[in-house]
Amino acid sequence: MATTGVDSEITKSDKYSILLPTYNERENLPIIIWLIIKYLDGSGIDFEVIIIDDGSPDGTLEVAKQLQNLYGSNKIVLRPREKKLGLGTAYIHGIKHATGNFIIIMDADLSHHPKFIPEFIELQKENDYDIVTGTRYINGGGVYGWDFKRKLISRGANFLTQMLLRPGVSDLTGSFRLYKKDVLLKLVESCVSKGYVFQMEMIIRARQLNYTIGEVPITFVDRVYGESKLGGTEIIQFAKALLYLFATT
Ligand SMILES: Nc1nc2c(ncn2[C@@H]2O[C@H](COP(=O)(O)OP(=O)(O)OP(=O)(O)O)[C@@H](O)[C@H]2O)c(=O)[nH]1
Ligand SMILES: [Mg+2]
């Protein structure tokens, strides 16, 4: 989609801070870092990766330190916290330390492939979008490795939200996104929800605040290492938050 043939040049002053929150991602971290460096260095993009580890008991931080030694502390920045405090505050913590004017948020569990990042950047530049979001739900996007139940939940959550809030963005619950830094700061400030529903609220608020949003089709692969946590409580939380947003926006 983003291959237009027009070479939109990366402005020299643009820098991308990639926020990578981790909790028990010891196996995944070396692979994701290797892929990020491979695809971004290959495209001549100026970037840093900020790893926010929340005291993972599996020793993720030790692995992160080794990666920092390997790739350098200007590329790999460590901003760990003592204990598991959740994703929302992990992002805020990361933004505070970001030196880039753009922020990329992605999961560290290999569900989000770094090969899409140059496409996000190119699309942002072409249209000066405030946000570019990965989507599993337009042509070329997709989900791999999910069972029927999980697909149904994700589709259902997106469908319900589309019906109630009409945000005009096809993937609301995904978290693979590129933001202008000041835009992300405003959004994070205006969001009230935590957990799974946070990503959806970000997009709904973005629409309210009239930010422009582009979409890049992505393939999403279920985590191979580590445990999945989506359960009944997340679904109930999501439904509650959806109703809250419906009532208040
Ligand atoms: N720093 C920090 N990172 C977290 C926390 N919870 C999850 N993460 C990380 O955030 C990213 C997304 O979390 P996931 O556990 O993959 O959430 P999910 O994709 O909805 O669920 P599964 O992949 O199915 O487990 C991953 O990189 C996690 O390691 C947290 O409390 N603090
Ligand atoms: Mg995941």
PDB file of all heavy atoms in Angstrom, residues 21-23 25 52-54 81 84-87 90 107-109 150 196 222-223 227-229, ligand 1:
ATOM      1  N   PRO A  21       7.612  -2.011  25.580  1.00  0.00           N
ATOM      2  CA  PRO A  21       7.348  -2.474  26.941  1.00  0.00           C
ATOM      3  C   PRO A  21       7.539  -3.982  27.008  1.00  0.00           C
ATOM      4  O   PRO A  21       7.144  -4.702  26.091  1.00  0.00           O
ATOM      5  CB  PRO A  21       5.875  -2.105  27.169  1.00  0.00           C
ATOM      6  CG  PRO A  21       5.285  -2.016  25.803  1.00  0.00           C
ATOM      7  CD  PRO A  21       6.386  -1.740  24.829  1.00  0.00           C
ATOM      8  N   THR A  22       8.190  -4.446  28.054  1.00  0.00           N
ATOM      9  CA  THR A  22       8.414  -5.895  28.163  1.00  0.00           C
ATOM     10  C   THR A  22       8.016  -6.420  29.539  1.00  0.00           C
ATOM     11  O   THR A  22       8.276  -5.794  30.555  1.00  0.00           O
ATOM     12  CB  THR A  22       9.892  -6.267  27.930  1.00  0.00           C
ATOM     13  OG1 THR A  22      10.716  -5.556  28.861  1.00  0.00           O
ATOM     14  CG2 THR A  22      10.334  -5.949  26.518  1.00  0.00           C
ATOM     15  N   TYR A  23       7.390  -7.546  29.512  1.00  0.00           N
ATOM     16  CA  TYR A  23       7.170  -8.312  30.736  1.00  0.00           C
ATOM     17  C   TYR A  23       7.339  -9.786  30.385  1.00  0.00           C
ATOM     18  O   TYR A  23       6.542 -10.335  29.628  1.00  0.00           O
ATOM     19  CB  TYR A  23       5.784  -8.032  31.332  1.00  0.00           C
ATOM     20  CG  TYR A  23       5.685  -8.603  32.731  1.00  0.00           C
ATOM     21  CD1 TYR A  23       6.311  -7.960  33.797  1.00  0.00           C
ATOM     22  CD2 TYR A  23       5.023  -9.800  32.963  1.00  0.00           C
ATOM     23  CE1 TYR A  23       6.273  -8.504  35.066  1.00  0.00           C
ATOM     24  CE2 TYR A  23       4.978 -10.346  34.229  1.00  0.00           C
ATOM     25  CZ  TYR A  23       5.600  -9.698  35.282  1.00  0.00           C
ATOM     26  OH  TYR A  23       5.572 -10.247  36.536  1.00  0.00           O
ATOM     27  N   GLU A  25       9.773 -11.317  28.424  1.00  0.00           N
ATOM     28  CA  GLU A  25      10.005 -11.469  26.987  1.00  0.00           C
ATOM     29  C   GLU A  25      11.453 -11.857  26.702  1.00  0.00           C
ATOM     30  O   GLU A  25      12.035 -11.464  25.700  1.00  0.00           O
ATOM     31  CB  GLU A  25       9.669 -10.159  26.239  1.00  0.00           C
ATOM     32  CG  GLU A  25       8.263  -9.629  26.438  1.00  0.00           C
ATOM     33  CD  GLU A  25       7.177 -10.445  25.735  1.00  0.00           C
ATOM     34  OE1 GLU A  25       7.494 -11.502  25.141  1.00  0.00           O
ATOM     35  OE2 GLU A  25       6.000 -10.030  25.807  1.00  0.00           O
ATOM     36  N   ILE A  52      11.190  -0.738  28.183  1.00  0.00           N
ATOM     37  CA  ILE A  52      10.628  -0.477  29.509  1.00  0.00           C
ATOM     38  C   ILE A  52      10.255  -1.817  30.120  1.00  0.00           C
ATOM     39  O   ILE A  52       9.187  -2.372  29.840  1.00  0.00           O
ATOM     40  CB  ILE A  52       9.378   0.428  29.400  1.00  0.00           C
ATOM     41  CG1 ILE A  52       9.736   1.720  28.653  1.00  0.00           C
ATOM     42  CG2 ILE A  52       8.821   0.740  30.796  1.00  0.00           C
ATOM     43  CD1 ILE A  52       8.820   2.026  27.503  1.00  0.00           C
ATOM     44  N   ASP A  53      11.168  -2.353  30.920  1.00  0.00           N
ATOM     45  CA  ASP A  53      10.903  -3.648  31.542  1.00  0.00           C
ATOM     46  C   ASP A  53      10.406  -3.449  32.966  1.00  0.00           C
ATOM     47  O   ASP A  53      10.981  -2.685  33.732  1.00  0.00           O
ATOM     48  CB  ASP A  53      12.166  -4.514  31.547  1.00  0.00           C
ATOM     49  CG  ASP A  53      11.855  -5.904  32.070  1.00  0.00           C
ATOM     50  OD1 ASP A  53      11.106  -6.637  31.386  1.00  0.00           O
ATOM     51  OD2 ASP A  53      12.313  -6.250  33.180  1.00  0.00           O
ATOM     52  N   ASP A  54       9.331  -4.129  33.282  1.00  0.00           N
ATOM     53  CA  ASP A  54       8.702  -3.971  34.602  1.00  0.00           C
ATOM     54  C   ASP A  54       9.098  -5.086  35.561  1.00  0.00           C
ATOM     55  O   ASP A  54       8.244  -5.825  36.051  1.00  0.00           O
ATOM     56  CB  ASP A  54       7.172  -3.932  34.449  1.00  0.00           C
ATOM     57  CG  ASP A  54       6.662  -2.525  34.176  1.00  0.00           C
ATOM     58  OD1 ASP A  54       7.498  -1.609  34.050  1.00  0.00           O
ATOM     59  OD2 ASP A  54       5.433  -2.347  34.088  1.00  0.00           O
ATOM     60  N   ARG A  81      11.474  -0.349  35.280  1.00  0.00           N
ATOM     61  CA  ARG A  81      10.765   0.006  36.513  1.00  0.00           C
ATOM     62  C   ARG A  81      10.806  -1.197  37.450  1.00  0.00           C
ATOM     63  O   ARG A  81      11.016  -2.321  37.028  1.00  0.00           O
ATOM     64  CB  ARG A  81       9.322   0.410  36.193  1.00  0.00           C
ATOM     65  CG  ARG A  81       9.266   1.586  35.198  1.00  0.00           C
ATOM     66  CD  ARG A  81       7.870   2.119  35.018  1.00  0.00           C
ATOM     67  NE  ARG A  81       6.944   1.146  34.447  1.00  0.00           N
ATOM     68  CZ  ARG A  81       5.651   1.373  34.277  1.00  0.00           C
ATOM     69  NH1 ARG A  81       5.127   2.530  34.630  1.00  0.00           N
ATOM     70  NH2 ARG A  81       4.865   0.436  33.748  1.00  0.00           N
ATOM     71  N   LYS A  84       5.624  -4.604  37.976  1.00  0.00           N
ATOM     72  CA  LYS A  84       4.642  -4.556  36.896  1.00  0.00           C
ATOM     73  C   LYS A  84       3.583  -3.496  37.194  1.00  0.00           C
ATOM     74  O   LYS A  84       2.759  -3.663  38.086  1.00  0.00           O
ATOM     75  CB  LYS A  84       3.981  -5.932  36.757  1.00  0.00           C
ATOM     76  CG  LYS A  84       3.207  -6.116  35.477  1.00  0.00           C
ATOM     77  CD  LYS A  84       2.727  -7.547  35.334  1.00  0.00           C
ATOM     78  CE  LYS A  84       2.220  -7.872  33.935  1.00  0.00           C
ATOM     79  NZ  LYS A  84       1.224  -6.959  33.414  1.00  0.00           N
ATOM     80  N   LEU A  85       3.623  -2.412  36.431  1.00  0.00           N
ATOM     81  CA  LEU A  85       2.705  -1.295  36.689  1.00  0.00           C
ATOM     82  C   LEU A  85       1.721  -1.079  35.545  1.00  0.00           C
ATOM     83  O   LEU A  85       0.951  -0.128  35.559  1.00  0.00           O
ATOM     84  CB  LEU A  85       3.516  -0.017  36.929  1.00  0.00           C
ATOM     85  CG  LEU A  85       4.446  -0.040  38.155  1.00  0.00           C
ATOM     86  CD1 LEU A  85       5.395   1.131  38.135  1.00  0.00           C
ATOM     87  CD2 LEU A  85       3.613  -0.048  39.441  1.00  0.00           C
ATOM     88  N   GLY A  86       1.768  -1.932  34.557  1.00  0.00           N
ATOM     89  CA  GLY A  86       0.795  -1.843  33.470  1.00  0.00           C
ATOM     90  C   GLY A  86       1.298  -1.071  32.267  1.00  0.00           C
ATOM     91  O   GLY A  86       2.238  -0.279  32.356  1.00  0.00           O
ATOM     92  N   LEU A  87       0.637  -1.298  31.132  1.00  0.00           N
ATOM     93  CA  LEU A  87       1.109  -0.764  29.859  1.00  0.00           C
ATOM     94  C   LEU A  87       0.937   0.745  29.718  1.00  0.00           C
ATOM     95  O   LEU A  87       1.819   1.425  29.210  1.00  0.00           O
ATOM     96  CB  LEU A  87       0.359  -1.451  28.711  1.00  0.00           C
ATOM     97  CG  LEU A  87       0.990  -2.725  28.159  1.00  0.00           C
ATOM     98  CD1 LEU A  87       0.147  -3.266  27.022  1.00  0.00           C
ATOM     99  CD2 LEU A  87       2.397  -2.427  27.681  1.00  0.00           C
ATOM    100  N   ALA A  90       3.552   2.502  31.406  1.00  0.00           N
ATOM    101  CA  ALA A  90       4.823   2.158  30.750  1.00  0.00           C
ATOM    102  C   ALA A  90       5.047   3.074  29.544  1.00  0.00           C
ATOM    103  O   ALA A  90       6.160   3.560  29.316  1.00  0.00           O
ATOM    104  CB  ALA A  90       4.825   0.691  30.315  1.00  0.00           C
ATOM    105  N   ASP A 107       4.480  -4.137  20.364  1.00  0.00           N
ATOM    106  CA  ASP A 107       4.679  -5.185  21.357  1.00  0.00           C
ATOM    107  C   ASP A 107       6.025  -5.859  21.103  1.00  0.00           C
ATOM    108  O   ASP A 107       6.507  -5.902  19.980  1.00  0.00           O
ATOM    109  CB  ASP A 107       3.564  -6.233  21.260  1.00  0.00           C
ATOM    110  CG  ASP A 107       2.211  -5.670  21.672  1.00  0.00           C
ATOM    111  OD1 ASP A 107       2.179  -4.533  22.183  1.00  0.00           O
ATOM    112  OD2 ASP A 107       1.200  -6.379  21.475  1.00  0.00           O
ATOM    113  N   ALA A 108       6.581  -6.429  22.161  1.00  0.00           N
ATOM    114  CA  ALA A 108       7.886  -7.076  22.049  1.00  0.00           C
ATOM    115  C   ALA A 108       7.768  -8.577  21.804  1.00  0.00           C
ATOM    116  O   ALA A 108       8.766  -9.271  21.736  1.00  0.00           O
ATOM    117  CB  ALA A 108       8.688  -6.830  23.324  1.00  0.00           C
ATOM    118  N   ASP A 109       6.542  -9.084  21.669  1.00  0.00           N
ATOM    119  CA  ASP A 109       6.369 -10.543  21.623  1.00  0.00           C
ATOM    120  C   ASP A 109       6.348 -11.107  20.205  1.00  0.00           C
ATOM    121  O   ASP A 109       5.909 -12.229  19.991  1.00  0.00           O
ATOM    122  CB  ASP A 109       5.097 -10.941  22.374  1.00  0.00           C
ATOM    123  CG  ASP A 109       3.840 -10.350  21.762  1.00  0.00           C
ATOM    124  OD1 ASP A 109       3.948  -9.552  20.805  1.00  0.00           O
ATOM    125  OD2 ASP A 109       2.747 -10.685  22.242  1.00  0.00           O
ATOM    126  N   ARG A 150     -10.623 -16.301  19.970  1.00  0.00           N
ATOM    127  CA  ARG A 150      -9.864 -15.047  20.030  1.00  0.00           C
ATOM    128  C   ARG A 150     -10.188 -14.150  18.828  1.00  0.00           C
ATOM    129  O   ARG A 150     -10.296 -12.933  18.948  1.00  0.00           O
ATOM    130  CB  ARG A 150      -8.369 -15.376  20.095  1.00  0.00           C
ATOM    131  CG  ARG A 150      -7.488 -14.165  20.204  1.00  0.00           C
ATOM    132  CD  ARG A 150      -6.931 -13.954  21.596  1.00  0.00           C
ATOM    133  NE  ARG A 150      -6.496 -12.582  21.755  1.00  0.00           N
ATOM    134  CZ  ARG A 150      -5.346 -12.200  22.276  1.00  0.00           C
ATOM    135  NH1 ARG A 150      -4.507 -13.090  22.725  1.00  0.00           N
ATOM    136  NH2 ARG A 150      -5.041 -10.925  22.369  1.00  0.00           N
ATOM    137  N   TYR A 196      -6.530  -3.542  28.032  1.00  0.00           N
ATOM    138  CA  TYR A 196      -6.816  -3.885  26.646  1.00  0.00           C
ATOM    139  C   TYR A 196      -7.524  -2.757  25.900  1.00  0.00           C
ATOM    140  O   TYR A 196      -7.293  -2.519  24.718  1.00  0.00           O
ATOM    141  CB  TYR A 196      -7.694  -5.146  26.674  1.00  0.00           C
ATOM    142  CG  TYR A 196      -7.993  -5.776  25.348  1.00  0.00           C
ATOM    143  CD1 TYR A 196      -6.972  -6.269  24.545  1.00  0.00           C
ATOM    144  CD2 TYR A 196      -9.309  -5.915  24.908  1.00  0.00           C
ATOM    145  CE1 TYR A 196      -7.251  -6.867  23.336  1.00  0.00           C
ATOM    146  CE2 TYR A 196      -9.600  -6.515  23.701  1.00  0.00           C
ATOM    147  CZ  TYR A 196      -8.567  -6.991  22.921  1.00  0.00           C
ATOM    148  OH  TYR A 196      -8.852  -7.580  21.723  1.00  0.00           O
ATOM    149  N   ASP A 222       0.382 -14.429  16.361  1.00  0.00           N
ATOM    150  CA  ASP A 222       0.225 -14.692  17.794  1.00  0.00           C
ATOM    151  C   ASP A 222       1.573 -15.033  18.420  1.00  0.00           C
ATOM    152  O   ASP A 222       2.449 -15.583  17.770  1.00  0.00           O
ATOM    153  CB  ASP A 222      -0.738 -15.867  18.000  1.00  0.00           C
ATOM    154  CG  ASP A 222      -1.253 -15.924  19.433  1.00  0.00           C
ATOM    155  OD1 ASP A 222      -1.172 -14.893  20.126  1.00  0.00           O
ATOM    156  OD2 ASP A 222      -1.717 -16.991  19.848  1.00  0.00           O
ATOM    157  N   ARG A 223       1.720 -14.682  19.707  1.00  0.00           N
ATOM    158  CA  ARG A 223       2.999 -14.943  20.364  1.00  0.00           C
ATOM    159  C   ARG A 223       3.326 -16.426  20.377  1.00  0.00           C
ATOM    160  O   ARG A 223       2.449 -17.275  20.553  1.00  0.00           O
ATOM    161  CB  ARG A 223       3.010 -14.364  21.777  1.00  0.00           C
ATOM    162  CG  ARG A 223       2.058 -15.000  22.750  1.00  0.00           C
ATOM    163  CD  ARG A 223       2.435 -14.719  24.202  1.00  0.00           C
ATOM    164  NE  ARG A 223       2.361 -13.328  24.613  1.00  0.00           N
ATOM    165  CZ  ARG A 223       3.419 -12.609  24.990  1.00  0.00           C
ATOM    166  NH1 ARG A 223       4.611 -13.134  24.971  1.00  0.00           N
ATOM    167  NH2 ARG A 223       3.272 -11.368  25.377  1.00  0.00           N
ATOM    168  N   GLU A 227       3.291 -16.499  27.765  1.00  0.00           N
ATOM    169  CA  GLU A 227       1.878 -16.825  27.940  1.00  0.00           C
ATOM    170  C   GLU A 227       0.940 -15.713  27.541  1.00  0.00           C
ATOM    171  O   GLU A 227       1.218 -14.538  27.743  1.00  0.00           O
ATOM    172  CB  GLU A 227       1.636 -17.184  29.410  1.00  0.00           C
ATOM    173  CG  GLU A 227       1.847 -18.656  29.664  1.00  0.00           C
ATOM    174  CD  GLU A 227       1.663 -19.016  31.114  1.00  0.00           C
ATOM    175  OE1 GLU A 227       0.759 -18.450  31.745  1.00  0.00           O
ATOM    176  OE2 GLU A 227       2.421 -19.874  31.584  1.00  0.00           O
ATOM    177  N   SER A 228      -0.192 -16.090  26.982  1.00  0.00           N
ATOM    178  CA  SER A 228      -1.227 -15.132  26.613  1.00  0.00           C
ATOM    179  C   SER A 228      -2.114 -14.845  27.818  1.00  0.00           C
ATOM    180  O   SER A 228      -2.362 -15.729  28.632  1.00  0.00           O
ATOM    181  CB  SER A 228      -2.070 -15.704  25.482  1.00  0.00           C
ATOM    182  OG  SER A 228      -3.027 -14.757  25.106  1.00  0.00           O
ATOM    183  N   LYS A 229      -2.549 -13.586  27.918  1.00  0.00           N
ATOM    184  CA  LYS A 229      -3.292 -13.203  29.116  1.00  0.00           C
ATOM    185  C   LYS A 229      -4.738 -12.785  28.876  1.00  0.00           C
ATOM    186  O   LYS A 229      -5.437 -12.445  29.827  1.00  0.00           O
ATOM    187  CB  LYS A 229      -2.578 -12.044  29.830  1.00  0.00           C
ATOM    188  CG  LYS A 229      -1.240 -12.403  30.374  1.00  0.00           C
ATOM    189  CD  LYS A 229      -0.200 -11.370  29.973  1.00  0.00           C
ATOM    190  CE  LYS A 229       1.153 -11.993  29.752  1.00  0.00           C
ATOM    191  NZ  LYS A 229       1.748 -11.578  28.483  1.00  0.00           N
TER     192      LYS A 229
HETATM  193  N1  LIG B   1       6.484  -2.802  30.938  1.00  0.00           N
HETATM  194  C1  LIG B   1       5.398  -3.570  30.858  1.00  0.00           C
HETATM  195  N2  LIG B   1       5.162  -4.292  29.737  1.00  0.00           N
HETATM  196  C2  LIG B   1       4.056  -5.057  29.671  1.00  0.00           C
HETATM  197  C3  LIG B   1       3.130  -5.142  30.742  1.00  0.00           C
HETATM  198  N3  LIG B   1       2.130  -5.986  30.362  1.00  0.00           N
HETATM  199  C4  LIG B   1       2.443  -6.399  29.123  1.00  0.00           C
HETATM  200  N4  LIG B   1       3.598  -5.871  28.698  1.00  0.00           N
HETATM  201  C5  LIG B   1       4.246  -5.989  27.375  1.00  0.00           C
HETATM  202  O1  LIG B   1       3.382  -5.326  26.458  1.00  0.00           O
HETATM  203  C6  LIG B   1       3.329  -6.000  25.219  1.00  0.00           C
HETATM  204  C7  LIG B   1       1.888  -6.442  24.934  1.00  0.00           C
HETATM  205  O2  LIG B   1       1.487  -7.357  25.933  1.00  0.00           O
HETATM  206  P1  LIG B   1       0.942  -8.814  25.590  1.00  0.00           P
HETATM  207  O3  LIG B   1       1.080  -9.652  26.819  1.00  0.00           O
HETATM  208  O4  LIG B   1       1.578  -9.341  24.361  1.00  0.00           O
HETATM  209  O5  LIG B   1      -0.589  -8.500  25.355  1.00  0.00           O
HETATM  210  P2  LIG B   1      -1.539  -9.140  24.253  1.00  0.00           P
HETATM  211  O6  LIG B   1      -0.863  -9.094  22.917  1.00  0.00           O
HETATM  212  O7  LIG B   1      -2.848  -8.471  24.399  1.00  0.00           O
HETATM  213  O8  LIG B   1      -1.701 -10.619  24.736  1.00  0.00           O
HETATM  214  P3  LIG B   1      -0.875 -11.968  24.360  1.00  0.00           P
HETATM  215  O9  LIG B   1       0.195 -11.648  23.378  1.00  0.00           O
HETATM  216  O10 LIG B   1      -1.879 -12.902  23.829  1.00  0.00           O
HETATM  217  O11 LIG B   1      -0.290 -12.394  25.677  1.00  0.00           O
HETATM  218  C8  LIG B   1       4.339  -7.131  25.320  1.00  0.00           C
HETATM  219  O12 LIG B   1       5.572  -6.677  24.797  1.00  0.00           O
HETATM  220  C9  LIG B   1       4.434  -7.381  26.826  1.00  0.00           C
HETATM  221  O13 LIG B   1       5.675  -7.926  27.215  1.00  0.00           O
HETATM  222  C10 LIG B   1       3.391  -4.361  31.925  1.00  0.00           C
HETATM  223  O14 LIG B   1       2.657  -4.357  32.903  1.00  0.00           O
HETATM  224  N5  LIG B   1       4.511  -3.601  31.920  1.00  0.00           N
END
